[in-house]
């Protein structure tokens, strides 16, 4: 089923309304959809490199807006469904402790999920469930998603189709390494 969804999304790249399809995919992927917008973005940029940064801007705006929907899902469903279940099992205190710890480092979690292959939707929903500061969530989401999508756009704009394999296979690993080094650097400066 995932492969069929992937192929369907990939097929949208050649559609005359591909930019709107990208916006829809980027929006819904941030809260529930399993296929990332990169799948659609990459062939769109390869086909029309002059629109690379417009495509990245659309993906960024739609993804952050969809992230706010994910946040709302976490916030709304946690109050309506999650808390009564936790209360029934006497686990509300455990969740409150987890939420407090998450919110101490929530910006890093959002940044990490926003730029790496980790499912961004998981963090958008969890951010809402733990009531991470919404302004912080939106700001970090914007930075992370823009970093990811504009870097992909810049690489494809500059190097064209030959860089596509590198992006699809290795860019996620480089993003993970970047985040680990960034967090490690802050940890080093703060604690050593």
């Amino acid at each position: 089923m995932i492969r069929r969804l992937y192929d369907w999304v990939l097929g949208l790249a050649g559609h005359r309304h591909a930019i709107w399809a990208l916006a829809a995919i980027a929006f819904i992927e941030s809260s529930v959809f399993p296929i990332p917008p990169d799948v659609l973005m990459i062939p769109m940029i390869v086909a029309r490199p002059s629109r690379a940064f417009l495509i990245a801007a659309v993906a960024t705006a739609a993804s952050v807006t969809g992230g706010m929907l994910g946040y709302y899902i976490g916030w709304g469903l946690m109050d309506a469904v999650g808390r009564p279940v936790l209360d029934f099992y006497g686990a509300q205190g455990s969740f409150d402790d987890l939420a407090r710890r998450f919110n101490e480092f929530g910006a890093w979690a959002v940044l990490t999920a926003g730029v790496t292959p980790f499912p961004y939707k998981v963090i958008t929903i969890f951010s809402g469930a733990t009531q991470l500061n919404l302004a912080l969530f939106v700001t970090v989401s914007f930075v992370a998603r823009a970093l990811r999508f504009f870097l992909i756009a810049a690489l494809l704009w500059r190097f064209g189709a030959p860089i596509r394999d590198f992006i699809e296979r290795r860019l996620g690993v480089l993003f993970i390494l970047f985040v680990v080094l960034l967090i490690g650097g802050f940890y080093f400066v703060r604690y050593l």
Side-chain angles (χ1 to χ4, degrees):
M1 180 176 139
I2 296 292
R3 184 63 203 189
R4 280 188 301 209
L5 274 175
Y6 182 91
D7 292 340
W8 174 75
V9 169
L10 190 58
L12 293 172
H15 193 274
R16 66 185 176 109
H17 297 295
I19 198 83
W20 293 105
L22 174 64
I25 296 295
F27 177 85
I28 199 72
E29 182 271 338
S30 295
S31 53
V32 296
F33 194 65
I35 308 299
D38 312 54
V39 170
L40 184 53
M41 235 180 96
I42 292 169
M44 287 174 65
I45 294 170
V46 168
R48 299 208 35 210
S50 63
R51 296 185 67 179
F53 300 107
L54 170 66
I55 291 167
V58 167
T60 300
S63 183
V64 172
T65 306
M68 288 188 280
L69 173 64
Y71 184 100
Y72 178 76
I73 289 169
W75 176 81
L77 292 180
M78 187 61 195
D79 288 342
V81 178
R83 290 201 191 279
V85 170
L86 290 172
D87 287 341
F88 178 79
Y89 288 105
Q92 183 62 47
S94 299
F95 177 78
D96 291 342
D97 289 342
L98 175 63
R100 220 175 353 271
R101 279 186 271 135
F102 176 80
N103 285 339
E104 287 178 34
F105 302 102
W108 290 109
V110 173
L111 178 71
T112 300
V115 298
T116 66
F118 184 83
Y120 176 60
K121 66 193 87 2
V122 171
I123 293 299
T124 66
I125 293 169
F126 196 69
S127 294
T130 62
Q131 297 180 10
L132 179 66
N133 178 286
L134 182 60
L136 177 66
F137 169 78
V138 171
T139 301
V140 175
S141 289
F142 179 78
V143 169
R145 296 313 257 183
L147 178 64
R148 176 178 173 156
F149 297 140
F150 277 89
L151 181 59
I152 290 170
L155 288 170
L156 288 166
W157 175 76
R158 174 70 176 99
F159 299 107
I163 198 78
R164 182 179 186 167
D165 183 57
F166 169 80
I167 290 170
E168 291 174 342
R169 297 185 192 278
R170 294 177 185 83
L171 192 60
V173 173
L174 288 178
F175 276 137
I176 290 169
L177 181 61
F178 167 75
V179 170
V180 166
L181 290 173
L182 184 66
I183 293 170
F186 279 114
Y187 181 82
F188 180 78
V189 168
R190 183 172 182 187
Y191 294 108
L192 298 179

